Amino acid sequence: MDHDGVHAVLFDLDGVITPTAEKHMQAWNRMFSDYFSHRGIDPYSDEDYFRYIDGRPRLEGIAAMLAARGIELPQGDDDPAEADSVTGLGARKNAVFLDLLAEGIEAYPGSVRYLDALDAAGIASCVVSSSANAVTVLEAAGLRDRFEVVVDGLVAADEGIPGKPAPDTYLRGAELLGVPAEHCVVIEDAVSGVQAGAAGGFATVVGVDRGAGRAALTDAGADLVVVDLAELVPAEEEDRA
């Protein structure tokens, strides 16, 4: 990818920098499989994850998944995990995810190589994630100090910023870095995140195919699709490696 004129790169986290998307998928699968089984309705599948949940804020994903099964639940307000509500299901999923995260997490090597190349080139970077656990994940992976700016689900909730597929969280990340959108690259693995990047007027939107599919990411607005961020490392940096 040509980095001329690029002053900042805005990264999604799960599935882009760290393989936490896999742990999120496992957590969603455990929670919804158990919940649907107890209600005697169609089982949960990975297709459901990519269609209704991937890249969305947690509660929005739950609401979309429940609606797809014809289930109506009260929203709730920071309900405990045992509550039969949207926020209760969110608490259940998050508890499972944190248990899985405690097993350990390492960043994708290719993503670290790309971060190193950006640092060497003086190109700023930040994380823009729908997850409320973004800082926890970065700390677990030993990467928190690599990002001055993190716009996550907690920031979005505190500031009333619409989540992906709206472009607002990415635009907020660019604003906090002090870089106009037209000089920023967005890197996403989720269809909803690619849609957010495409709607924000950014210089380039890169899709990372970790399972969503090249065609789906391209149709959502990705200018380029890769399977590993090492593919984005400038040739001169590769030569020095």
Side-chain angles (χ1 to χ4, degrees):
M1 185 179 71
D2 185 359
H3 288 74
D4 287 347
V6 174
H7 298 163
V9 177
L10 315 179
F11 293 88
D12 180 41
L13 177 60
D14 302 325
V16 172
I17 296 174
T18 57
T20 32
E22 299 168 13
K23 293 186 183 292
H24 280 294
M25 286 184 70
Q26 293 175 41
W28 285 117
N29 194 308
R30 290 186 192 180
M31 188 276 287
F32 271 127
S33 292
D34 180 68
Y35 186 71
F36 289 169
S37 175
H38 278 84
R39 294 187 68 117
I41 60 176
D42 292 345
Y44 177 83
S45 69
D46 286 347
E47 182 180 352
D48 289 322
Y49 173 79
F50 289 114
R51 179 173 296 177
Y52 302 112
I53 295 171
D54 190 20
R56 296 187 181 192
R58 185 188 307 161
L59 299 185
E60 289 183 18
I62 292 171
M65 183 70 256
L66 293 176
R69 294 294 195 273
I71 300 172
E72 293 186 11
L73 291 180
Q75 179 77 6
D77 182 14
D78 292 328
D79 289 353
E82 59 269 19
D84 196 19
S85 65
V86 172
T87 56
L89 291 180
R92 291 186 212 180
K93 180 267 174 181
N94 198 50
V96 176
F97 172 75
L98 291 176
D99 285 343
L100 292 169
L101 186 62
E103 298 172 2
I105 192 75
E106 292 186 10
Y108 293 108
S111 299
V112 175
R113 285 172 59 196
Y114 184 52
L115 283 169
D116 290 342
L118 293 179
D119 288 346
I123 296 174
S125 59
C126 78
V127 164
V128 178
S129 172
S130 298
S131 174
N133 296 304
V135 170
T136 300
V137 170
L138 287 169
E139 289 173 345
L143 294 174
R144 180 62 187 92
D145 62 347
R146 301 293 294 265
F147 300 97
E148 179 182 351
V149 171
V150 175
V151 178
D152 61 7
L154 297 177
V155 172
D158 287 344
E159 298 187 11
I161 305 172
K164 305 168 187 178
D168 302 62
T169 50
Y170 274 114
L171 291 170
R172 180 60 171 149
E175 180 183 23
L176 289 172
L177 288 175
V179 179
E182 59 267 26
H183 291 293
C184 294
V185 170
V186 167
I187 303 184
E188 264 284 355
D189 71 315
V191 167
S192 60
V194 168
Q195 291 171 334
F202 296 98
T204 304
V205 179
V206 178
V208 187
D209 185 8
R210 308 284 194 194
R214 180 177 295 271
L217 295 171
T218 300
D219 290 346
D223 301 298
L224 172 68
V225 177
V226 299
V227 297
D228 191 279
L229 296 196
E231 297 175 48
L232 303 178
V233 175
E236 58 271 20
E237 292 298 327
E238 283 285 335
D239 291 340
R240 285 197 287 267

